[in-house]
Amino acid sequence: MASQCSYTSFKKNPHTKETIASHQERIDRLTDELEKKKTELEITQEFYEERLENLNDALFAVDNNGIFTYLNSAVESLTGYTKKDVLGTPFTDYVHPEDLPELMEEIRKTINGAKEPYMFRVIKKSRDIGYIHTSSRPIIKDSEVVGINGLMVDIEKLKQVESNLKEERNIAQKYLDVVAVIILVIDREGNITLINRKGSDILGFKEHDILSKNWFDIYSPEYSRKEEIENYRKVMDKKLEIPEHFESSIQIADKGIRTFQWHNILLKDENGNIKGLLTSGEDITERKKAEKTLIMAKMIAENADRTKREFISTISHELRTPLNHIIGYSELLHEDENNSLSKEQKRYAGVITESGNLLHKMVNSMISLCRIEKGTLEIEKRELSLFAMICEIESFMMPIAKKKDIVLNFTISTSTREMWADEDKFRTVLYNLIHNAIKFTPSGGTVDVKVHSPDIEILKISITDNGIGISGEELSKLFKPFCQADPSLNRKFNGTGLGLYLSKELVEMMGGKIQVESEPGKGSTFSFTVPVTP
């Protein structure tokens, strides 16, 4: 009865109905909000799942047993396996066996709080090898680690680039190793950062032992080390310029002090700051010793040459006076105005005169040689008659040619009548070349002297014989002092070997040139040119 009364009163109470309606309205509103939140969450989840699925890199999660509990679709591009293939399987099934111990150690470090990335190889579904870079973090629930999750990145292309760079570096290192000089790089502090094999061999260290060592501490001689370090610091700070090439001494164990020639390039960073030095070095110790030896030998030779010239000059001048006496008195005897000599005695006097004249000519040649080598012989040009000079030479040489039964011909085909020249030296050259042609032409031969003008300012004289001729190898010896084309000729033909040398020097001093053409057994042609103008 009581409950019926309560229910009746509840039905009859309008305020109670309003309260129920209000609660219902609130419940409906909360339901709508929950549905809306649910929809928003579903949209957000769908949004993020879509983004995660479209990532190029693989997201993963594994539990404490190493079983994959989550993967996005990118795992297929990394391994060839689908998500369905991999989920619920242990990650160890896909890791290269050789990398597994190190990977397990890296996972242990991750669980203990380390945040270092690590790399390993995977075996793809195709059985090819892939290279993975991974960053991971522990999954913590209720203060306990229940697994790890992270990101896997395919670095196969990077590994390929790394491999290519390594290959190129190896090739570059081979280039460095094949050269026969030291290739060296030192940093700002003087520490060695690169060296080639030749450098290691020369400096007495293995490459791995010498790297990072300080160049100046090891190789600078003690007497210059402090100064070299100070200068190097100035170079690094741009307070001193380093030359591209310089020489320095270095101390090498078991080899002592050696001299090296260096070729240098400063190394700079992208901001233009000097970060070190690239240099190549060559051991020139023996070359420097050889240079010193050559310099010493040159000094000795020059002293000997100077002594020789002084000796020849002194002796030649001292010989002139007695020679003049010998020649003068032998000529008086040969003339025999009183007819007091027998025919044989007169012949002896003639031999003395001829020998004296020959010796006098030799002495004059040696004096001229000394004056040429000293640089004291001067050219004194003056105007002279070409025809008078040629006639004088012809008159002087004809008897010598006839004595050997040699035909001597002179041909003048030039309009030049007067010329400017040093008369004595011009006469000496003509005499030497014609006399040489007669001397080396056998009896019954011919010597032709031709005078002509290639142009109005030049006179050319050619002396051609049909004598013994000269080989190509012997031609190079002709114009050297005290030398004839063949040493055996010194025994067959008299002379000092100075005639051609003096002729060449005198012609060039007068502004001309001398040349020779010859063939063994067919004769020779000596020709020279001289300017005819003042």
Side-chain angles (χ1 to χ4, degrees):
M1 188 69 179
S3 7
Q4 186 175 2
C5 288
S6 297
Y7 174 75
T8 304
S9 65
F10 174 77
K11 285 185 67 178
K12 291 180 178 181
N13 190 339
H15 295 292
T16 303
K17 292 181 179 180
E18 290 176 3
T19 300
I20 294 172
S22 174
H23 282 296
Q24 185 62 48
E25 183 180 346
R26 186 177 179 185
I27 291 171
D28 293 341
R29 187 171 64 252
L30 290 173
T31 301
D32 289 341
E33 288 180 1
L34 286 172
E35 289 294 331
K36 186 177 180 181
K37 292 290 184 181
K38 181 180 178 183
T39 303
E40 290 177 355
L41 287 172
E42 289 176 350
I43 292 172
T44 302
Q45 182 178 356
E46 183 179 348
F47 173 84
Y48 282 110
E49 285 183 354
E50 183 181 352
R51 297 300 183 274
L52 293 175
E53 286 298 311
N54 289 323
L55 285 176
N56 291 325
D57 304 321
L59 291 171
F60 73 93
V62 296
D63 61 18
N64 283 339
N65 295 318
I67 304 299
F68 280 109
T69 58
Y70 172 80
L71 279 167
N72 67 345
S73 299
V75 69
E76 189 168 355
S77 62
L78 265 67
T79 65
Y81 292 101
T82 65
K83 285 197 304 181
K84 187 177 179 181
D85 294 333
V86 178
L87 284 174
T89 63
F91 72 86
T92 54
D93 290 353
Y94 310 98
V95 179
H96 194 290
E98 293 178 3
D99 295 350
L100 193 55
E102 187 175 351
L103 177 59
M104 297 302 292
E105 177 62 21
E106 294 295 338
I107 291 174
R108 185 189 65 77
K109 292 179 182 178
T110 298
I111 293 172
N112 290 332
K115 297 182 179 180
E116 296 294 329
Y118 44 92
M119 289 173 285
F120 59 93
R121 290 171 292 175
V122 297
I123 300 175
K124 298 182 179 182
K125 189 174 183 179
S126 62
R127 311 313 295 171
D128 292 333
I129 302 297
Y131 294 86
I132 302 298
H133 178 280
T134 299
S135 298
S136 61
R137 296 290 183 273
I139 302 172
I140 300 175
K141 188 175 182 180
D142 297 332
S143 301
E144 291 186 3
V145 176
V146 295
I148 60 170
N149 61 11
L151 183 71
M152 292 188 292
V153 180
D154 187 350
I155 58 169
E156 188 168 349
K157 290 183 179 179
L158 290 176
K159 293 298 289 187
Q160 184 62 47
V161 170
E162 180 185 352
S163 177
N164 292 340
L165 289 174
K166 186 177 180 181
E167 184 178 353
E168 290 177 7
R169 183 184 181 280
N170 290 337
I171 293 173
Q173 186 67 46
K174 289 178 181 178
Y175 290 157
L176 295 179
D177 290 340
V178 78
V179 295
V181 297
I182 295 176
I183 303 294
L184 183 73
V185 175
I186 55 179
D187 63 18
R188 288 180 59 87
E189 286 70 41
N191 299 317
I192 300 169
T193 59
L194 181 145
I195 190 168
N196 66 338
R197 185 178 302 162
K198 186 66 177 181
S200 301
D201 293 342
I202 292 175
L203 298 176
F205 277 92
K206 296 295 183 183
E207 182 181 356
H208 59 271
D209 292 331
I210 198 173
L211 290 177
S212 299
K213 285 183 168 50
N214 189 277
W215 170 264
F216 300 103
D217 291 345
I218 302 176
Y219 297 110
S220 288
E222 190 173 346
Y223 61 82
S224 62
R225 183 177 302 154
K226 185 176 180 181
E227 181 183 0
E228 289 180 11
I229 292 174
E230 183 62 27
N231 288 337
Y232 186 74
R233 286 173 180 167
K234 290 180 179 179
V235 170
M236 293 297 104
D237 294 335
K238 299 184 179 180
K239 295 179 180 178
L240 181 67
E241 288 189 7
I242 187 169
E244 290 185 9
H245 314 286
F246 72 92
E247 294 177 8
S248 71
S249 298
I250 67 173
Q251 176 88 43
I252 301 178
D254 302 329
K255 294 182 182 179
I257 301 294
R258 307 291 293 179
T259 303
F260 275 73
Q261 185 176 59
W262 302 99
H263 304 266
N264 312 293
I265 297 176
L266 290 174
L267 301 176
K268 300 181 180 181
D269 60 21
E270 61 273 10
N271 297 319
N273 298 315
I274 298 174
K275 62 178 185 178
L277 177 70
L278 167 63
T279 185
S280 65
E282 180 183 5
D283 190 340
I284 59 170
T285 307
E286 302 307 322
R287 187 202 308 170
K288 297 297 287 186
K289 289 180 181 177
E291 287 175 359
K292 289 180 181 178
T293 303
L294 286 174
I295 291 171
M296 185 62 66
K298 183 174 181 290
M299 292 173 62
I300 293 172
E302 287 175 348
N303 288 334
D305 195 47
R306 183 167 57 253
T307 303
K308 178 200 73 175
R309 289 198 304 267
E310 291 172 354
F311 173 77
I312 292 175
S313 179
T314 302
I315 292 297
S316 299
H317 281 93
E318 291 298 323
L319 286 174
R320 264 182 164 177
T321 300
L323 268 177
N324 286 333
H325 292 159
I326 292 170
I327 293 170
Y329 285 114
S330 63
E331 285 178 347
L332 287 175
L333 285 173
H334 188 263
E335 289 174 1
D336 191 22
E337 293 180 356
N338 299 324
N339 294 318
S340 58
L341 297 179
S342 65
K343 186 176 180 181
E344 188 173 358
Q345 288 172 330
K346 196 171 182 178
R347 184 172 65 82
Y348 292 159
V351 171
I352 294 171
T353 301
E354 184 179 347
S355 299
N357 285 326
L358 184 60
L359 188 56
H360 191 267
K361 180 192 171 195
M362 187 186 305
V363 169
N364 285 338
S365 295
M366 287 191 291
I367 291 174
S368 296
L369 170 66
C370 290
R371 292 178 65 190
I372 287 172
E373 291 183 344
K374 283 183 179 179
T376 59
L377 189 66
E378 296 181 355
I379 295 295
E380 299 177 359
K381 286 188 177 183
R382 66 181 182 86
E383 191 174 20
L384 57 91
S385 170
L386 173 62
F387 282 88
M389 172 69 68
I390 297 300
C391 288
E392 179 186 338
I393 293 291
E394 183 178 5
S395 299
F396 186 78
M397 300 304 299
M398 277 297 181
I400 300 175
K402 286 182 179 179
K403 190 174 180 180
K404 283 193 66 177
D405 191 24
I406 289 174
V407 177
L408 179 60
N409 299 316
F410 282 80
T411 304
I412 301 176
S413 54
T414 177
S415 59
T416 302
R417 294 292 182 268
E418 304 296 326
M419 63 180 292
W420 284 81
D422 187 312
E423 183 176 355
D424 290 338
K425 296 174 179 60
F426 187 71
R427 182 187 293 108
T428 299
V429 174
L430 271 175
Y431 173 82
N432 283 343
L433 294 181
I434 297 173
H435 188 272
N436 242 32
I438 293 171
K439 181 168 68 172
F440 292 105
T441 299
S443 179
T446 302
V447 175
D448 295 315
V449 181
K450 296 180 181 180
V451 182
H452 69 285
S453 298
D455 59 58
I456 59 174
E457 296 185 348
I458 298 294
L459 184 72
K460 183 174 183 179
I461 301 176
S462 302
I463 298 95
T464 302
D465 64 65
N466 58 356
I468 61 175
I470 309 164
S471 68
E473 183 180 350
E474 294 167 344
L475 283 173
S476 60
K477 306 175 184 177
L478 283 181
F479 297 107
K480 294 180 180 179
F482 304 106
C483 185
Q484 290 184 337
D486 188 341
S488 64
L489 297 180
N490 291 327
R491 296 188 293 271
K492 187 175 181 181
F493 301 99
N494 59 18
T496 60
L498 286 175
L500 288 177
Y501 171 74
L502 290 175
S503 297
K504 177 179 179 293
E505 294 294 324
L506 294 176
V507 166
E508 291 178 354
M509 289 178 71
M510 289 187 287
K513 292 182 179 179
I514 191 168
Q515 60 184 23
V516 59
E517 296 176 2
S518 186
E519 188 176 344
K522 295 185 178 180
S524 306
T525 297
F526 285 83
S527 58
F528 69 95
T529 59
V530 289
V532 296
T533 55

